[in-house]
Amino acid sequence: MIQLRRKIDSFLDEWKNRQGHKPLVVKGARQIGKTYSIDEFGKKNYTYFISINFILQPEYKAIFDNGYDVDSIIKNISFINPSLKFAAGETLIFFDELQNCPSAATSLKSFAIDGRFDVICSGSLMGINYNEIESNAVGYKEDYEMFSLDFEEFLWARGYTDEMITDVSQYLFDVKPLPQIIFGKLSDIFKDYMVVGGMPAVVDSFISQGNFSGTLSIQRQLLLDYQEDITKYAVGLDKGKILNVYNHISTFLAQENKKFRISKVGLHARNRDYIGVVDWLGSAGIVNVCYCLDMPELPLKGNYNPDMFKLYYQDTGLLVASLDEEAQIDLRVNRNFSTYKGALYENVVADMLRKAGYGLYYYRNEKSTVEMDFFIRSIQSLVPLEVKANDGATRSLQNLTDGRYPDIKFGIKLCNKNIGFNDRFYTIPYFLVFALKAFLRTR
């Protein structure tokens, strides 16, 4: 297995070195590499690393039976395993699979006040009630949201250095076309990323073998694992309805407007019968939810219709794995990414925007004369972002950047074209989405 460099690695170093840091809760979907990254960090940076997995070691659930006093918890851990050592300022306690022991989250306040030991918690988003954690540890913890590998991390896995990636990003910041050799190579690697996605086990298989062999079976197993977790962890909601929505994502992405319609997922299905289902899937880290703006204006939050949305897989490799066998061959052999009505490009952009820290919003007016795939923002401007599977017309982008909308100063067109600007919108290749946030700070 190759050692994948992740962005959480530098965050954990910064967290440890920060004066007075609080206990950390690492949020994220299952099998995205949370445990591996935290384990490596703990072993490298602490004299004593105490790792407790509440699924593999259920006996440790009892360590909170005497309350949440830190000395009592440490005493109970030591009683279960007397070989473990604790030293103030030199010890990291890692509570893994938090969803199987919510009491561990309640203990974070005590550990924060005590201050002798560093604590990190992690677990599957599907099984964690973070509202409960918030109420029990508000003000006494820090959250970090982790995802599967983004494209920059995928480039690291392929051997590209920070210096090389910085050089590429600089072309974007300077709005200069990339040299053709760089543009062509990154375009090819991005196509690999669209098929492989960012799930660590899949990336590891692809990089280690140098081909797609075996990646599809891993992805399909991940899809099955997610379905199994839905039936296991969805509390207070109809699990059948959650599965019904989850299993229809690729169906709606295949349609022209890609809008998800609850009324089409089952006989007599109505929005009011599915209240909470979409929110649960989003909170569980399974899907990215993109809401329709009421108007193309700021602010984004509070300016959208919660009943109008598009759903995307949170990892595009899993969308690819959900397609039929013929589509798989077309993608892997023929590299035909323009099929499926542009859904693959939209999904990967949604995924990359979310990993960059953006919320997801789109717009379509009542007459469908103005449509835009995504909206993000710079410090001063609302930015329409159009995703093009081919180099087609950009009528909506032209309309949105013609001066009629005061919050919009310029737009962005994402496509398989080199970097450019025509005084109204920037043309940016897909593979540079990871650099958008830094780019927009300069605009």
Side-chain angles (χ1 to χ4, degrees), residues 24-37:
L24 180 65
V25 178
V26 178
K27 303 179 179 183
R30 64 173 292 168
Q31 300 189 48
I32 58 170
K34 300 185 300 295
T35 298
Y36 180 83
S37 293

Side-chain angles (χ1 to χ4, degrees), residues 1 14 32 94 105 116 142 146 215 240 248 261 268 318 333-334 357 367 394 396 420:
M1 180 176 180
E14 186 274 329
I32 58 170
F94 176 28
R116 285 176 292 164
E142 181 175 354
M146 188 175 177
T215 58
H248 277 83
R261 299 175 64 185
H268 306 307
L318 299 184
V333 177
N334 300 325
K367 297 181 180 179
T394 58
S396 289

Side-chain angles (χ1 to χ4, degrees), residues 30 37 55 85 96 172 184 202 244 257 281 293 312 316 329 342 346 357 379 394 409 413 441:
R30 64 173 292 168
S37 293
I55 289 181
K85 305 296 182 183
D96 199 9
L172 175 61
V202 184
N244 206 16
N257 64 17
L281 284 167
L293 292 175
Y312 301 98
T316 298
I329 296 172
E346 268 198 43
I379 295 174
T394 58
K409 313 298 186 211
K413 175 184 173 182
R441 291 194 195 106

Side-chain angles (χ1 to χ4, degrees), residues 335-351:
R335 313 281 275 182
N336 186 8
F337 294 95
S338 295
T339 189
Y340 212 58
K341 294 186 172 62
L344 296 178
Y345 285 110
E346 268 198 43
N347 200 106
V348 76
V349 169
D351 181 37

Side-chain angles (χ1 to χ4, degrees), residues 142-204:
E142 181 175 354
D143 292 324
Y144 180 89
E145 190 167 8
M146 188 175 177
F147 303 92
S148 62
L149 280 79
D150 67 12
F151 185 60
E152 188 174 14
E153 291 172 314
F154 190 74
L155 287 174
W156 291 341
R158 293 287 296 263
Y160 289 84
T161 64
D162 288 335
E163 292 75 17
M164 297 168 77
I165 296 172
T166 298
D167 287 345
V168 169
S169 300
Q170 192 62 48
Y171 281 92
L172 175 61
F173 303 154
D174 295 338
V175 195
K176 294 181 178 178
L178 288 158
Q180 192 55 44
I181 188 172
I182 296 177
F183 177 83
K185 185 60 180 179
L186 288 178
S187 295
D188 286 342
I189 295 174
F190 187 72
K191 290 174 182 176
D192 290 339
Y193 178 71
M194 287 181 68
V195 174
V196 172
M199 300 301 284
V202 184
V203 174
D204 177 71

Side-chain angles (χ1 to χ4, degrees), residues 201-413:
V202 184
V203 174
D204 177 71
S205 174
F206 175 74
I207 300 294
S208 299
Q209 298 185 114
N211 57 55
F212 295 114
S213 177
T215 58
L216 180 58
S217 62
I218 299 173
Q219 289 168 326
R220 285 179 171 166
Q221 185 58 53
L222 286 168
L223 288 173
L224 292 174
D225 290 344
Y226 279 169
Q227 291 184 21
E228 182 180 335
D229 277 0
I230 288 172
T231 62
K232 181 178 180 180
Y233 290 120
V235 178
L237 293 171
D238 188 319
K239 298 172 183 179
K241 289 178 179 175
I242 296 177
L243 285 170
N244 206 16
V245 170
Y246 178 65
N247 291 328
H248 277 83
I249 295 173
S250 56
T251 301
F252 285 95
L253 288 178
Q255 298 179 4
E256 196 65 43
N257 64 17
K258 299 175 181 60
K259 176 186 172 184
F260 199 97
R261 299 175 64 185
I262 293 294
S263 61
K264 299 295 183 181
V265 302
L267 188 64
H268 306 307
R270 297 168 297 185
N271 278 339
R272 66 172 179 265
D273 297 325
Y274 281 75
I275 291 175
V277 167
V278 173
D279 288 340
W280 188 90
L281 284 167
S283 298
I286 303 174
V287 304
N288 287 319
V289 187
C290 183
Y291 291 103
C292 185
L293 292 175
D294 293 323
M295 286 295 293
E297 61 186 26
L298 295 172
L300 290 171
K301 292 184 178 180
N303 174 33
Y304 66 87
N305 185 340
D307 294 324
M308 292 182 64
F309 53 85
K310 296 186 285 186
L311 295 183
Y312 301 98
Y313 281 92
Q314 200 167 79
D315 185 273
T316 298
L318 299 184
L319 167 60
V320 171
S322 73
L323 305 180
D324 55 51
E325 188 172 347
E326 289 73 22
Q328 300 286 342
I329 296 172
D330 193 24
L331 288 170
R332 285 171 164 78
V333 177
N334 300 325
R335 313 281 275 182
N336 186 8
F337 294 95
S338 295
T339 189
Y340 212 58
K341 294 186 172 62
L344 296 178
Y345 285 110
E346 268 198 43
N347 200 106
V348 76
V349 169
D351 181 37
M352 294 172 80
L353 290 175
R354 186 71 184 85
K355 289 172 178 175
Y358 289 109
L360 299 180
Y361 304 93
Y362 74 102
Y363 178 70
R364 174 179 290 115
N365 64 8
E366 292 183 1
K367 297 181 180 179
S368 297
T369 55
V370 178
E371 304 177 43
M372 189 50 51
D373 300 310
F374 299 103
F375 280 88
I376 56 178
R377 66 164 300 172
S378 65
I379 295 174
Q380 299 179 345
S381 175
L382 178 66
V383 183
L385 198 158
E386 185 171 48
V387 178
K388 301 301 293 184
N390 49 51
D391 195 27
T394 58
R395 183 178 301 173
S396 289
L397 191 57
Q398 295 281 6
N399 290 338
L400 287 166
T401 56
D402 66 2
R404 285 181 289 176
Y405 300 91
D407 288 336
I408 298 174
K409 313 298 186 211
F410 60 88
I412 293 174
K413 175 184 173 182

